[in-house]
Structure formats: structure tokens, C-alpha cells
């Protein structure tokens, strides 16, 4: 197939400018004998085949033919002499046509003066040669029949290609064709300044739903038409998805600022004037060794990013984005394996009363040790587990493990210790969460008063009505609730006042801050003050120094957790730690 514009030219049957131009079949005669040219045109003058007249192109050598085919569009049939400047000149040209020029639709009729030069069967097959004739066979009638058959084949192949490679709605190449054309550009190495872009019409499915598919289709056509008009021909433009267009070309033309500016003028669709915006993802990382398939993935990653954070604008792909995503995919696969091969475990970090120094409880924290012994921090894999839904199963397992540990501690005579378990948003919102919580209580028969759930401030403040109801149900089970990482979210005081909670947990960052002088006072002291007003216990996490503990105590903070007292430790280490501590109290 030829370049995109060629085929567009072919598709342009009904030119918008009015009078449809008459379509012709273009035939090329390649022969070193001028007589053959004359005889052929003479035999076919004035005939119409499949409703169209014929137009002839003439080449007198294989080289001349090659050059012509590079520039001329829509040549349907080549009548080709086998023996010209060399014995195999014709066959060599066929190879060039199919392999180098990639003219796969073009039909080839071989002609030879001497029967001895017939091509091998394989050649006929491999190079898709339509017919082989000796020149003596090419009488007027026979020639007519042969050319008609070839043109019919050409038309069929074109139609099939059109279906496979064209989008009929917008009259543009489709995704397959976009990839092919882009690959050709990439392989040529002649466009170092190219970018590939995906342009996505914002909220298209809403428009479709609201105004109907017909109107949606017309809008897409209007967008496609505007892009066609505004973009010069040296850009690959295609419709690559229902409401997305692909572009590849010089960065001067495929310029997101200019392209998005095209959306400032409303699109006139029937009698409506529709205002739509678009978002773009682009990649510059192109080169001879890049495949269009990979480039489009990168552009898509950038597009997704743009959709999230910059609707109506664009994001340029950077290699970090790709490696970040690949890294995340890898991590997720590993996490799945880790869950299966039980490489996750729970550690416990003590919590103490700042006044008396007595242990009041511990927080259960999940750990993941890789096969190579390295640890993946929960801050990295919990968000992934959330995104993939795995956090529901993982969280349930942590909850049960922690409850079982509590049973063991109670058997040691430590009946009052509290176990805090982190619960992520996805887990908390899961419809079966309360059921599972209740089942864990029933199965382990722990005292619900000894169990506490930690939910982060941002989760607590999201969807107030839902949280209010759910937290009440948790409290009805007898379980207490702490707001984790307090101070990092944006709590509304009135909302906080309503929530059935027991404890505020000052985020580590505000404890670290205590070692410095901070203008306007410490956030920790404000949180403690708030807790006092709302009659909530306040616990500070991440206490590493005695001085921090003293300051917190002076401010009125009740409880603390941090390396100063104990690092997160295994269940066995925790039991030893507790035994030592109790013995010395
Ligand atoms: P978090 O709930 O705020 O947990 C406190 C984090 O601070 C823990 O990090 C803990 O090891 C760390 N930490 C405690 N004391 C100190 C200290 O004195 N100095 C320093 N530098 N760090 C201290 P970790 O275990 O890496 O956990 C990070 C976060 O991961 C947790 O923050 C929590 O949001 C999440 N997470 C951990 N386990 C679970 C779990 O089982 N389920 C869910 N949903 N999230 C979990
Ligand atoms: Mg926590
Ligand atoms: Mg925290």
C-alpha cells in the first residue's frame, strides 16, 4: 500500500468542493520496446472497464518504472515486460514493487516476447503476480479480459484493505494503519524531530448518552474534519479509538498547544454549536529502533496522566513514567506471589502511656520480605494492593493475625492490652467488611474493647454520611477507632465532632517537627488541644527522642509510640519485650 495521502486521495470520491472528479484506472506499461507501448494503448483506447476510463503511464526501463511508481499515486495495474535492460530486470522490479515500495495492492501482469522466460511458480505466488502472458497473446480482446480481471482484483483488495485499515466514519486511517504508517516513518529515520500524540475528546461518552449516537458521530466527524484541515499532509493522522485520534509528525505541527487551541471554536454539528475540549498525551522518545506499538503505549500513559491531572491540556511522556509503571506492574506480580507463598507477616510496635510509661497496646504493621531478603515498605505496596483490590484479602488476614496474637497475649495474662489495626479505605468500604470484622471477633473470642481500628484522616473525612453510619456500626461491636496521620488531612471540625471516634493519632511529621522551632506554634499542640476539646485521647507516633516525649507530655498528650520505646517487632520478640518490661515495672 502507498502512503496515507494516496489512499485518502482514492477515498475522496465525493469531493466536498462540488463537481465530483471523474475516476480513472491508472495503468502503467513498462517495456523497453516503444512498439509495445503503442500497441497496448491502441488496443485499449476508448474502453471503459468497470465503469471507468483508462489512463496510461509509460516507462521504458525498470529504473524509470521504479521512479514513476515512487511518485505516482493510485496505479492499479502494471503491464510489465520480463526482459528489458537485463534478462531479469522485470522480475527484479517486481521485488522492488512488493518489498521496497510496499505496493501490495498494485496488480502485475507479466509479459514476455520469449516463452522461455516464464517466472517460477513460487515467484508468481510470492510476489503476487496476477497473470503471465506472452506478448503474442495480448490481442485486443485478450488484453481487455486480462486487464479487467486485474482491475477487479485490485478493487477487491482495496476494499478489503479499506475495511481493515480505514475508519469509515471519519474517513481516516484506523489504529492498525496508524501503527503501520508510524512504523514506516520511524524506520525511515528521516524525522528525528517527530512526536506521537493521542488526542482524546473529553466526556465523549456523556455527549453520546445525552445527545444520541448520531449526534456523537457527527461531532467526531467535525473534530476529524477540523484536524484534517488544520494539519498539513506530512502528519500521520488517524482515528485510533472511539473518541481518540492519533497523530505523528514534526513537533512543530503536532504541537499540543496549537492543537488544543483548535477546540476553542465550537463545533457546528447540524444546528447545534457544541463546545468540547480535548486532552492529549504525547511522546517524543522516537527513533529508528522504536516500534509504533511501544510509542503509542507511552503516549497513552501520558494521556492517562493528563486525564487525571490536566483535563483539557496535555502531558508529555517521560521515561520515568514508563519505568514507574513497569516497576508497579512488577511489584504487583511479586505481591501476588508473596501472598501465595506467605511471605507477608505482621510486626507489632508498642504504645505506651506517656505519664506512667506503662504499655497500653501495640499497632500491627504489615511486612513483606522478598525472596532475596530485602523488605518492601508498606507505604509502597499498600497503595498497589488498594488499587488492585488485593488489600481486602490482605487486610482481613492482618486483622485475623492480630486478633490471634491478642489471644496469645491475653493468655499470658495481659488482658488489657489494645491491638491497633490499620484499615485502608478500600477495605473499610468493602460491603463485607463489618461481617468479616464480626467473624474475626467471634472466631477468636477476643474482647472487642481490646481491638482498635486505625483509619487515616483523609478516609474519615471522605463521604461523611457513609463514614458516620459505618463508624457507628463498628463502635456498636465494641471496637474503638483512632484517626491515623492526624493533621495531614483537612478535617472540618464540625464533621470531626460528629464522628464516633476514640483517639487522634498525631502524624509522625509533627512529632519530628518538635525538635525544631516552628513559627506559629507546633501542630502537635493544636491537635492535642483539639483532642482535649473533643474529649478524645491523643497518641503521638514516631517518637524517637526523649525530648520529644517530654514536650508532648507537657502539651498534654496522653500516649506515645516510636523507636524510643520500641521498633516494630515480630510476635515472638514482642512477647519477650513485654515480659522484660513487665518484670522491671
Ligand atoms: P502508620 O499507620 O502511620 O504507621 C506508622 C509508621 O511509622 C510505621 O511505618 C512505623 O514503622 C513507623 N514508625 C513508628 N515509629 C517510628 C519512629 O520512631 N521513627 C520512624 N522513622 N518511623 C516510625 P510502616 O510500618 O512502614 O508503615 C507505614 C504505613 O503503612 C502505615 O503508617 C500504614 O499507613 C501502612 N500500613 C502498615 N501496615 C498496614 C496494614 O496492615 N494495613 C494497612 N491498610 N496499612 C498498613
Ligand atoms: Mg497506623
Ligand atoms: Mg500514622
Amino acid at each position: 500500500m502507498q502512503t496515507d495521502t494516496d489512499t485518502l486521495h482514492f477515498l475522496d470520491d465525493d469531493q466536498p468542493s462540488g463537481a465530483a472528479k471523474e475516476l480513472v484506472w491508472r495503468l502503467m506499461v513498462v517495456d523497453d520496446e516503444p512498439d509495445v507501448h503503442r500497441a497496448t494503448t491502441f488496443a485499449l483506447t476508448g474502453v471503459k472497464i468497470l465503469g471507468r476510463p483508462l489512463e496510461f503511464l509509460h516507462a521504458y526501463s525498470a529504473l524509470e518504472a521504479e521512479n514513476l511508481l515512487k511518485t505516482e499515486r493510485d496505479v492499479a495495474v502494471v503491464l510489465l515486460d520480463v526482459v528489458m535492460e537485463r534478462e531479469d530486470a522485470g522480475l527484479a522490479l517486481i521485488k522492488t514493487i512488493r518489498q521496497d515500495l510496499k505496493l501490495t495492492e498494485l496488480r502485475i501482469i507479466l509479459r514476455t516476447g520469449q516463452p522461455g522466460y516464464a517466472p517460477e511458480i513460487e515467484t508468481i505466488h510470492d510476489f503476487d503476480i496476477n497473470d503471465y502472458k506472452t506478448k503474442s497473446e495480448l490481442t485486443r480482446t485478450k488484453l481487455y479480459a486480462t486487464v479487467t480481471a486485474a482491475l477487479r482484483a485490485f478493487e477487491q483488495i482495496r476494499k478489503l484493505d479499506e475495511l481493515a485499515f480505514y475508519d469509515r466514519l471519519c474517513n481516516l486511517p484506523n489504529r492498525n494503519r496508524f501503527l503501520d504508517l508510524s512504523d514506516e516513518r520511524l524506520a525511515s529515520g528521516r524525522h528525528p524531530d517527530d512526536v506521537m500524540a493521542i488526542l482524546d475528546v473529553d466526556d465523549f461518552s456523556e455527549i453520546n448518552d445525552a445527545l444520541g449516537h448520531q449526534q456523537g458521530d457527527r461531532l467526531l466527524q467535525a473534530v476529524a474534519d477540523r484536524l484534517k484541515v488544520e494539519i498539513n499532509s506530512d502528519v500521520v493522522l488517524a482515528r485510533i479509538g472511539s473518541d481518540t485520534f492519533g497523530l505523528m509528525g514534526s513537533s512543530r505541527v503536532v504541537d499540543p498547544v496549537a492543537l488544543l487551541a483548535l477546540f476553542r471554536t465550537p463545533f457546528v454539528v447540524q444546528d447545534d454549536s457544541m463546545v468540547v475540549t480535548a486532552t492529549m498525551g504525547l511522546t517524543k522518545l522516537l527513533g529508528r529502533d522504536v516500534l509504533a506499538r511501544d510509542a503509542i503505549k507511552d503516549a497513552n500513559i501520558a494521556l492517562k496522566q493528563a486525564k487525571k491531572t490536566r483535563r483539557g491540556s496535555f502531558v508529555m511522556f517521560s521515561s520515568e513514567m514508563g519505568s514507574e509503571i513497569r516497576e508497579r506492574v512488577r511489584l504487583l506480580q511479586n505481591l501476588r506471589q508473596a501472598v501465595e507463598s506467605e511471605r507477608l507477616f505482621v510486626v507489632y510496635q508498642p504504645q505506651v502511656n506517656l505519664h506512667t510509661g506503662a504499655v497500653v497496646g501495640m499497632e500491627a504493621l504489615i511486612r513483606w520480605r522478598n525472596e532475596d531478603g530485602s523488605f518492601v515498605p508498606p507505604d509502597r505496596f499498600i497503595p498497589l494492593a488498594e488499587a488492585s483490590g488485593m488489600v481486602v484479602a490482605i487486610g482481613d488476614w492482618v486483622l485475623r493475625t492480630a486478633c490471634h496474637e491478642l489471644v496469645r497475649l491475653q493468655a499470658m495474662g495481659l488482658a488489657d492490652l489494645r491491638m491497633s489495626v490499620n484499615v485502608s479505605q478500600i477495605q473499610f468500604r468493602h460491603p463485607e467488611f463489618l461481617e468479616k470484622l464480626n467473624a474475626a471477633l467471634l472466631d477468636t473470642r477476643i474482647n472487642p474493647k481490646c481491638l482498635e481500628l486505625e483509619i487515616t484522616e483523609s478516609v474519615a473525612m471522605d463521604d461523611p454520611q457513609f463514614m458516620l453510619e459505618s463508624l457507628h456500626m463498628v463502635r456498636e461491636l465494641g471496637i474503638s477507632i483512632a484517626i491515623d496521620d492526624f493533621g495531614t488531612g483537612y478535617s472540618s471540625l464540625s464533621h470531626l465532632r460528629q464522628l464516633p471516634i476514640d483517639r487522634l493519632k498525631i502524624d509522625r511529621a509533627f512529632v519530628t517537627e518538635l525538635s525544631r522551632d516552628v513559627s506559629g506554634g507546633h501542630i502537635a499542640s493544636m491537635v492535642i488541644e483539639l483532642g482535649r476539646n473533643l474529649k478524645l485521647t491523643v497518641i503521638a507516633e514516631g517518637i524517637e527522642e526523649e525530648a520529644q516525649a517530654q514536650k508532648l507530655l507537657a502539651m498534654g498528650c496522653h500516649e506515645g509510640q516510636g523507636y524510643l520505646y520500641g521498633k516494630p517487632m515480630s510476635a515472638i520478640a514482642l512477647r519477650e519485650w513485654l515480659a522484660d518490661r513487665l518484670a522491671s515495672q
Side-chain angles (χ1 to χ4, degrees):
M1 214 182 311
Q2 307 170 25
T3 67
D4 63 333
T5 41
D6 292 348
T7 325
L8 278 179
H9 165 87
F10 172 82
L11 285 172
D12 260 356
D13 309 42
D14 39 0
Q15 297 224 319
S17 54
K21 74 170 185 207
E22 193 184 22
L23 286 167
V24 295
W25 295 121
R26 308 192 82 197
L27 267 55
M28 184 182 283
V29 181
V30 186
D31 207 304
D32 54 356
E33 292 170 48
D35 276 354
V36 177
H37 288 262
R38 248 174 272 129
T40 309
T41 37
F42 180 72
L44 294 172
T45 32
V47 288
K48 270 195 169 183
I49 299 182
L50 306 174
R52 298 185 196 172
L54 309 179
E55 182 188 302
F56 287 94
L57 296 156
H58 298 276
Y60 296 87
S61 70
L63 187 66
E64 197 183 337
E66 184 183 335
N67 287 335
L68 259 181
L69 285 169
K70 272 185 195 156
T71 51
E72 290 298 328
R73 296 167 164 196
D74 294 336
V75 179
V77 176
V78 170
L79 294 149
L80 174 60
D81 189 14
V82 178
V83 184
M84 287 180 287
E85 56 264 48
R86 286 198 324 269
E87 269 185 8
D88 64 344
L91 293 179
L93 178 61
I94 292 171
K95 216 171 150 193
T96 309
I97 289 175
R98 296 296 191 222
Q99 292 183 346
D100 304 334
L101 302 178
K102 298 208 165 42
L103 299 173
T104 53
E105 294 175 338
L106 178 68
R107 297 297 88 206
I108 299 171
I109 298 166
L110 277 181
R111 301 200 286 186
T112 173
Q114 303 97 320
Y117 288 97
E120 309 276 339
I121 298 282
E122 288 97 85
T123 315
I124 294 189
H125 177 264
D126 291 351
F127 293 110
D128 190 15
I129 295 166
N130 262 62
D131 218 333
Y132 172 74
K133 292 274 187 292
T134 57
K135 286 181 191 169
S136 58
E137 278 181 283
L138 292 177
T139 60
R140 184 178 161 86
T141 341
K142 279 199 179 146
L143 195 57
Y144 179 83
T146 310
V147 170
T148 303
L151 285 173
R152 197 166 269 136
F154 173 77
E155 201 175 30
Q156 270 169 4
I157 290 171
R158 274 237 149 149
K159 284 221 171 90
L160 284 177
D161 280 351
E162 203 183 302
L163 282 179
F165 294 106
Y166 281 88
D167 170 59
R168 293 183 154 263
L169 181 70
C170 295
N171 243 345
L172 281 176
N174 66 9
R175 185 188 175 88
N176 285 336
R177 186 78 183 118
F178 180 68
L179 290 174
D180 286 352
L181 293 168
S182 301
D183 271 333
E184 278 170 29
R185 265 184 91 101
L186 287 166
S188 79
R190 276 186 281 120
H191 311 276
D193 170 46
D194 264 12
V195 291
M196 185 186 275
I198 304 178
L199 185 149
D200 182 304
V201 179
D202 293 332
D203 301 319
F204 181 73
S205 59
E206 279 76 17
I207 295 170
N208 239 354
D209 290 346
L211 304 175
H213 284 250
Q214 264 197 350
Q215 196 72 349
D217 284 355
R218 289 190 196 111
L219 172 65
L220 286 175
Q221 284 167 338
V223 172
D225 288 346
R226 188 167 299 171
L227 291 173
K228 282 183 218 171
V229 170
E230 300 294 333
I231 286 168
N232 71 24
S233 59
D234 195 31
V235 169
V236 183
L237 171 64
R239 178 167 173 234
I240 59 171
S242 62
D243 56 354
T244 50
F245 295 92
L247 300 109
M248 180 164 163
S250 145
S251 59
R252 270 169 287 110
V253 187
V254 184
D255 167 8
V257 176
L259 287 168
L260 292 172
L262 297 177
F263 286 75
R264 283 201 208 118
T265 319
F267 292 90
V268 179
V269 178
Q270 298 229 301
D271 291 334
D272 292 336
S273 158
M274 298 174 72
V275 180
V276 286
T277 58
T279 303
M280 290 179 74
L282 300 96
T283 178
K284 270 184 201 162
L285 304 171
L286 308 173
R288 232 186 249 272
D289 50 345
V290 173
L291 290 175
R293 221 163 269 290
D294 295 325
I296 208 172
K297 269 188 208 151
D298 293 349
N300 209 23
I301 288 168
L303 175 66
K304 281 207 176 133
Q305 186 94 11
K307 281 265 162 194
K308 257 193 249 158
T309 56
R310 287 181 208 190
R311 281 174 84 77
S313 184
F314 68 96
V315 164
M316 184 65 78
F317 176 80
S318 67
S319 52
E320 295 90 66
M321 267 183 213
S323 51
E324 248 168 55
I325 286 185
R326 275 190 291 278
E327 170 68 13
R328 253 188 275 157
V329 170
R330 203 180 53 83
L331 203 61
L332 192 60
Q333 282 166 349
N334 289 352
L335 179 60
R336 221 162 252 139
Q337 283 167 9
V339 172
E340 277 159 20
S341 51
E342 299 177 2
R343 265 184 272 123
L344 298 180
F345 59 101
V346 179
V347 291
Y348 305 89
Q349 185 176 32
Q351 299 175 332
V352 302
N353 179 314
L354 288 179
H355 273 286
T356 63
V359 187
V360 293
M362 57 259 140
E363 178 177 8
L365 293 160
I366 193 166
R367 291 291 174 267
W368 169 11
R369 191 179 14 224
N370 259 325
E371 261 167 336
D372 63 7
S374 63
F375 285 95
V376 183
D379 290 337
R380 276 192 66 206
F381 72 82
I382 293 286
L384 264 187
E386 289 200 310
S388 66
M390 261 200 277
V391 80
V392 174
I394 293 176
D396 192 40
W397 172 77
V398 172
L399 178 69
R400 281 184 171 261
T401 309
C403 287
H404 280 294
E405 185 53 27
L406 202 53
V407 171
R408 269 182 228 116
L409 295 174
Q410 288 177 349
M412 279 171 70
L414 302 163
D416 297 329
L417 289 186
R418 185 179 69 218
M419 180 68 82
S420 299
V421 178
N422 294 283
V423 177
S424 84
Q425 167 148 26
I426 304 284
Q427 192 188 354
F428 194 83
R429 287 177 174 273
H430 195 269
E432 283 161 26
F433 178 67
L434 279 173
E435 231 170 274
K436 283 186 178 160
L437 195 57
N438 207 15
L441 290 180
L442 291 175
D443 291 352
T444 55
R445 296 211 230 123
I446 55 158
N447 181 355
K449 294 215 157 31
C450 294
L451 184 62
E452 179 161 274
L453 301 186
E454 290 191 5
I455 55 169
T456 60
E457 185 185 5
S458 50
V459 173
M461 296 304 141
D462 193 35
D463 194 350
Q465 199 50 41
F466 171 84
M467 286 314 287
L468 196 63
E469 286 164 21
S470 310
L471 291 177
H472 269 295
M473 287 194 266
V474 172
R475 280 276 288 257
E476 267 162 34
L477 294 174
I479 297 168
S480 60
I481 293 153
I483 304 294
D484 205 352
D485 303 343
F486 196 80
T488 57
Y490 302 94
S491 300
S492 98
L493 192 59
S494 63
H495 179 40
L496 195 66
R497 212 186 283 278
Q498 287 181 0
L499 289 180
I501 51 180
D502 301 271
R503 219 175 311 279
L504 297 179
K505 214 170 169 186
I506 302 175
D507 190 68
R508 196 168 80 215
F510 307 123
V511 173
T512 314
E513 191 187 75
L514 292 175
S515 318
R516 291 184 278 123
D517 272 336
V518 181
S519 62
H522 291 287
I523 289 179
S525 82
M526 296 196 290
V527 176
I528 294 164
E529 187 57 33
L530 185 66
R532 212 189 328 267
N533 285 330
L534 299 177
K535 303 200 168 41
L536 302 172
T537 318
V538 177
I539 180 168
E541 70 177 10
I543 303 178
E544 294 186 354
E545 298 158 10
E546 187 55 42
Q548 292 167 339
Q550 290 311 322
K551 278 194 182 166
L552 286 161
L553 190 59
M555 290 170 179
C557 184
H558 309 99
E559 295 172 347
Q561 172 185 348
Y563 294 173
L564 179 65
Y565 311 103
K567 290 198 167 177
M569 51 190 110
S570 71
I572 296 173
L574 174 76
R575 277 174 239 155
E576 283 170 11
W577 186 91
L578 284 170
D580 282 358
R581 184 107 179 168
L582 290 174
S584 64
Q585 263 178 18

